Amino acid sequence: MTTDFDAYLSSQRDKHLNELQEFLRFPSISTLSEHASDVLQCAEHLATLARQVGFEHIQLLQTPKHPVLYADWLHAEGKPTVLVYGHYDVQPVDPLRLWETPPFEPTIRDGKIYARGSSDDKGQVFMHLKSFEALLQTTGTLPVNVKLCIEGEEEIGSPHLPAVLEQHKDLFAADVLVISDTTILGPNRPSVCYGLRGLAALQVDVYGAKGDLHSGLYGGAIQNPLHAMVELLASLHDDNGVVQVNGFYDNVQEISAQEREAFAKLAPDDSALAQSLGVTELFGETGYTTLEREWVRPTLELNGVYGGFQGEGTKTVIPSSAHAKITCRLVPNQDPADIQQKIKKHLQEFAPPGVRVEVTLHDKGNPYVTPFDHPVIQLAATAYEQAYGVSAAFTRMGGSIPIVEAFANVLHLPAVLMGFGLDTENFHAPNEHFSLDNFDKGLRTLCYYWLGLDEAFHSQQA
């Protein structure tokens, strides 16, 4: 069935893709200080896009680092208010040499748009704006009231957004929170996410001599920080992938029999998944399936290990220091701050002789799980089915959106996580891309959702 918004979106597709490419050109890398002006310019551009759609009361709420965009459309009297959250910041692009096309020069090929941020999360934020535009242009109004909260610090753990929400509770007050920053199960396999893992990040630095030393003159006489780092990091897991930090699993909420059964029905073929990832076999904590390890078990991963000579050829030195970056994905009942302290204690206790170990604590975010029988969450599955033509599943996700739990605590909103990305789209990696099939179907899914939200919300109130 063709709807007015469907015809509008079809007629405007080329224009919308050009606008998306313009949005993707901003190198809004929030973690790198040299890109601070780019992040600000991206926020200002997003404000312009919102104004062009028809949003009002547009503000860039300042934080100690990057601003939060607020905008609203509040003319649906008696209707619920939806708060749409997303982020306009992106991950760094390293290693640049692995990109087939420049990360901030968007390219469309093979039914996908390639650029940093195309899937995570600019592409999905852009879809929200255009879904509202489609309804305004075809009906002259929106079926619900809308507020936008689009931040520029999600990729660094949203450190300042909780304070912004506390300070502006009335401004952000709403009835339901909708986020598109998650994935679906696969091509034409839509899914509604009801759980996210939390996050805890650290850096460990190992220091030896006061400067690099000649490996011939001093080799065998002092501890090598790189050797010490390798030994220290190896102590974090056993041979079966089980984390060896004392107390790491103490508060982990075990998976229920019902969820285990549901996950089994969604389970991927492990051999096919390994082949698609280019590895010889999958690996992880014993006693759990791949989906269970990805969705409901905690992890401790090394994100970077470096030190010493990095150039071409050989340089015979004993480096003065070595460094590693660690992140954990956490599950319900795990406290990120508690996990950081336990890992810090482990790293200090297992420090090899002859070196000094320093541990710096970084980003953290709580896990989030919500009951998925709420009508506004069930509506998401209905909207997916209307747009995709197939039933949607209910899933958890291994990634983290640290701010979701803060929205629940500060604003007391049910969160609907209805994303359109694919696990294979290389977000956080070179050659990030976004499926244009999901772009097209996602726009329609969102329109169906907005049109059904008032009825779903009031069915909960009845």
Side-chain angles (χ1 to χ4, degrees), residues 18 23 29 102 160 167 197 200 202 204 214 236 239 265 267 273 276 285 299 342 362 383 398 425 427 435 452 459:
N18 287 335
F23 186 28
I29 305 172
H160 301 112
Q167 183 180 356
R197 291 194 289 190
L202 311 91
V204 55
H214 191 291
L236 293 170
D239 292 341
K265 295 176 181 177
L273 178 59
S276 72
E285 184 185 3
T299 65
K342 286 174 176 174
H362 289 301
E425 288 181 335
F427 34 87
S435 161
S459 72

Side-chain angles (χ1 to χ4, degrees), residues 300-375:
L300 189 160
E301 300 287 356
L302 306 180
N303 310 124
V305 181
Y306 54 100
F309 179 61
Q310 306 290 310
E312 183 179 355
T314 299
K315 183 180 182 184
T316 53
V317 296
I318 299 173
S320 62
S321 63
H323 315 273
K325 296 181 182 294
I326 298 170
T327 53
C328 301
R329 300 292 177 168
L330 307 178
V331 297
N333 294 347
Q334 285 187 298
D335 178 358
D338 175 63
I339 293 299
Q340 285 179 324
Q341 291 299 329
K342 286 174 176 174
I343 296 172
K344 180 177 181 178
K345 181 179 179 182
H346 176 99
L347 292 169
Q348 291 171 336
E349 288 181 351
F350 280 77
V355 294
R356 174 171 53 89
V357 172
E358 292 186 1
V359 180
T360 305
L361 309 182
H362 289 301
D363 308 348
K364 59 182 183 290
N366 289 311
Y368 178 83
V369 177
T370 186
F372 54 82
D373 58 356
H374 195 293

Side-chain angles (χ1 to χ4, degrees), residues 137-151:
Q137 290 296 319
T138 55
T139 69
T141 188
L142 293 180
V144 291
N145 299 295
V146 181
K147 296 180 178 181
L148 303 181
C149 177
I150 315 297
E151 69 159 321

Side-chain angles (χ1 to χ4, degrees), residues 48-279:
T48 299
L49 288 176
R51 187 174 294 107
Q52 290 170 348
V53 168
F55 282 95
E56 302 168 329
H57 307 119
I58 298 169
Q59 305 177 55
L60 290 180
L61 304 174
Q62 298 304 314
T63 78
K65 201 167 180 70
H66 304 304
V68 176
L69 171 73
Y70 172 85
D72 62 37
W73 188 95
L74 302 175
H75 301 290
E77 186 176 352
K79 306 293 185 180
T81 298
V82 59
L83 177 63
V84 174
Y85 166 81
H87 64 94
Y88 62 87
D89 65 320
V90 300
Q91 284 276 325
V93 297
D94 312 80
L96 189 59
R97 60 183 174 79
L98 296 182
W99 286 80
E100 294 181 20
T101 51
F104 296 109
E105 295 179 17
T107 303
I108 294 176
R109 60 181 186 272
D110 303 322
K112 306 175 183 70
I113 184 166
Y114 285 79
R116 174 58 90 227
S118 56
S119 180
D120 181 21
D121 181 39
K122 288 181 179 178
Q124 302 196 58
V125 165
F126 182 82
M127 287 164 60
H128 278 278
L129 293 178
K130 294 305 161 181
S131 70
F132 294 124
E133 176 185 291
L135 294 176
L136 281 168
Q137 290 296 319
T138 55
T139 69
T141 188
L142 293 180
V144 291
N145 299 295
V146 181
K147 296 180 178 181
L148 303 181
C149 177
I150 315 297
E151 69 159 321
E153 298 182 355
E154 193 276 344
E155 298 294 6
I156 55 173
S158 304
H160 301 112
L161 187 53
V164 171
L165 296 179
E166 285 281 2
Q167 183 180 356
H168 300 281
K169 280 184 182 180
D170 292 341
L171 188 66
F172 288 108
D175 298 301
V176 60
L177 172 69
V178 174
I179 300 174
S180 296
D181 191 16
T182 52
T183 59
I184 58 177
L185 281 172
N188 219 50
R189 294 184 68 196
S191 53
V192 183
C193 180
Y194 65 92
L196 299 162
R197 291 194 289 190
L199 179 71
L202 311 91
Q203 175 158 329
V204 55
D205 302 294
V206 175
Y207 297 100
K210 61 184 179 180
D212 291 354
L213 298 175
H214 191 291
S215 66
L217 294 177
Y218 295 97
I222 66 167
Q223 177 70 271
N224 185 316
L226 280 175
H227 296 179
M229 179 66 84
V230 170
E231 180 181 342
L232 188 58
L233 298 180
S235 73
L236 293 170
H237 296 86
D238 68 10
D239 292 341
N240 296 312
V242 179
V243 177
Q244 297 299 291
V245 173
N246 187 38
F248 185 81
Y249 296 101
D250 281 356
N251 299 316
V252 169
Q253 184 181 92
E254 289 293 335
I255 183 174
S256 68
Q258 292 85 353
E259 277 193 299
R260 177 162 272 182
E261 182 180 347
F263 291 176
K265 295 176 181 177
L266 302 173
D269 178 87
D270 282 359
S271 297
L273 178 59
Q275 184 177 5
S276 72
L277 297 174
V279 297

